[in-house]
Amino acid sequence: MFFVFMITYNDIYEAARKERYSEQLQQIPKNFVSEFSKYLKEKKEVASKEEEDFSDTAIKTKKQLENATTLFKELIIRRRKKILNLVLIAAETGISKQDFENMLAIEKELFEGLMRCMDYSEKRLNESLNGIGKGELVKNNDLVVFLEDVGEFLSADEDKMGPYKKGDIANLPKEISKILSEGKKVEILEK
């Protein structure tokens, strides 16, 4: 049996309500964002057709559209706050598999990107504590932006680096940034 999920105003309201009253990231359908997009498009079309008639239905549809948009924004903000909390917890202890499973694909990307930033920040802090000054790091590193996805690799010091996604910005040792730049995988932003 094939089941198609069609979002309704009530689904949007319930998702926002559950997220509001729970400390944990709530499970929502994986296609929730695309279905919300379809819902918006459909409601906008209905509102514009009915607007010509100046009917009560047009006013009601327009108000429902505004409320749905507000609820969706609230839902996304609450989910992002929870993901930020999960990043902080994961940086110290690890993450609950259930929380990770409840993330949408785009939220998993956000989480992984933030974790890379946390790891980098932790590494910089440890380097500073071990006597490597900021000036030394700046001289030996280049700020780069990735032009394509690059998998995990080892630095000259055998430290794991990456993986990086297209558009990620990183502060890499000059030797590595030079190799990646020559291979057209990164663009050096700052020398």
Side-chain angles (χ1 to χ4, degrees):
M1 182 176 173
F2 183 70
F3 176 73
V4 177
F5 173 71
M6 297 272 305
I7 199 169
T8 64
Y9 177 81
N10 198 43
D11 294 326
I12 300 163
Y13 175 81
E14 279 301 307
R17 186 188 65 77
K18 285 179 184 176
E19 210 64 61
R20 183 183 305 134
Y21 294 112
S22 173
E23 287 184 28
Q24 292 181 319
L25 201 58
Q26 296 299 294
Q27 185 171 8
I28 58 177
K30 299 297 181 196
N31 63 343
F32 190 86
V33 175
S34 62
E35 286 301 315
F36 179 74
S37 177
K38 290 177 191 173
Y39 172 87
L40 281 181
K41 184 179 179 188
E42 185 180 297
K43 288 293 181 186
K44 284 178 182 176
E45 287 174 4
V46 170
S48 67
K49 287 178 185 174
E50 292 173 349
E51 202 170 71
E52 296 167 2
D53 302 332
F54 299 104
S55 67
D56 288 341
T57 310
I59 295 168
K60 183 180 175 185
T61 302
K62 200 170 187 180
K63 187 66 177 169
Q64 192 177 53
L65 184 61
E66 290 171 12
N67 289 342
T69 302
T70 301
L71 286 169
F72 181 78
K73 286 178 182 176
E74 176 191 344
L75 172 70
I76 295 303
I77 288 169
R78 287 185 187 280
R79 291 181 68 83
R80 285 181 178 162
K81 284 180 181 177
K82 290 177 183 181
I83 289 169
L84 286 171
N85 264 345
L86 289 173
V87 166
L88 294 173
I89 291 167
E92 297 300 318
T93 62
I95 183 170
S96 158
K97 187 173 180 156
Q98 176 188 351
D99 289 326
F100 199 70
E101 289 173 355
N102 287 344
M103 288 182 200
L104 301 173
I106 196 165
E107 292 171 331
K108 287 178 184 176
E109 287 177 27
L110 171 65
F111 177 84
E112 289 166 354
L114 290 170
M115 283 303 298
R116 283 193 299 273
C117 289
M118 288 293 287
D119 290 343
Y120 176 73
S121 176
E122 186 69 22
K123 183 179 175 185
R124 290 286 304 266
L125 177 62
N126 287 333
E127 288 171 346
S128 293
L129 291 173
N130 291 325
I132 299 175
K134 184 179 178 193
E136 191 174 328
L137 280 175
V138 172
K139 282 193 300 191
N140 295 326
N141 289 9
D142 288 326
L143 191 61
V144 300
V145 63
F146 282 83
L147 304 174
E148 60 183 64
D149 292 353
V150 173
E152 189 176 280
F153 57 90
L154 293 177
S155 71
D157 300 334
E158 305 261 339
D159 291 330
K160 286 184 183 177
M161 301 189 81
Y164 297 99
K165 295 208 179 290
K166 180 179 179 179
D168 282 354
I169 295 175
N171 195 9
L172 300 177
K174 285 188 180 291
E175 314 82 57
I176 293 174
S177 63
K178 181 181 178 194
I179 293 167
L180 292 173
S181 177
E182 288 170 356
K184 305 284 190 229
K185 296 188 183 299
V186 300
E187 178 183 332
I188 299 174
L189 298 176
E190 226 176 70
K191 291 195 178 209

